[in-house]
Amino acid sequence: MTQTAAPSTLARIIAAPRGIAVSDDLRCLDLAFPDDVRVRISAERLRSACKCAHCLRARIDGVFPEQFAGLAITEVSPIGGYALNIAFSDGHARGIYPWALLLSLGRREPGAAHD
């Protein structure tokens, strides 16, 4: 008999957030997922987690920056019904951030439901 492991957060289909906002200081992305799950993700954390080809290559080559201090979110655009494209004040705007990745990166807000 074979046992199947529970799907990880990244493997599960995640419903689109019902609310997406950038903080007033442009330093954080706030997402309100269904079931009252709210997360906040700093611009630095988002930029560090970028999975675009350019960033993956920079990691392989050992030239990916260790930190992105003072970074701001300059634009957020939906990609279909499954992700966001996020642009940053350093000019980077290549990454696609699926809902599952955003949920895994986020810090849950106090008082928010946990799954």
Side-chain angles (χ1 to χ4, degrees):
M1 180 157 94
T2 329
Q3 288 187 346
T4 306
S8 72
T9 302
L10 294 177
R12 288 186 288 153
I13 296 174
I14 305 294
R18 54 182 170 73
I20 300 168
V22 176
S23 63
D24 290 341
D25 65 0
L26 308 178
R27 304 280 185 221
C28 293
L29 180 68
D30 294 312
L31 302 165
F33 286 91
D35 300 327
D36 293 326
V37 173
R38 295 178 181 274
V39 295
R40 172 168 270 208
I41 313 163
S42 71
E44 291 90 354
R45 183 154 169 83
L46 288 163
R47 181 67 178 83
S48 293
C50 183
K51 306 256 188 253
C52 78
H54 175 81
C55 290
L56 290 176
R57 185 75 238 177
R59 284 183 187 93
I60 291 167
D61 293 342
V63 295
F64 191 76
E66 289 187 28
Q67 61 182 357
F68 294 93
L71 197 67
I73 297 168
T74 58
E75 189 174 343
V76 176
S77 306
I79 303 291
Y82 74 97
L84 294 176
N85 171 252
I86 303 171
F88 301 95
S89 57
D90 67 353
H92 190 76
R94 297 177 185 208
I96 295 175
Y97 296 80
W99 306 136
L101 176 60
L102 291 167
L103 187 58
S104 73
L105 292 173
R107 185 188 84 234
R108 295 178 189 279
E109 289 296 293
H114 296 270
D115 55 11

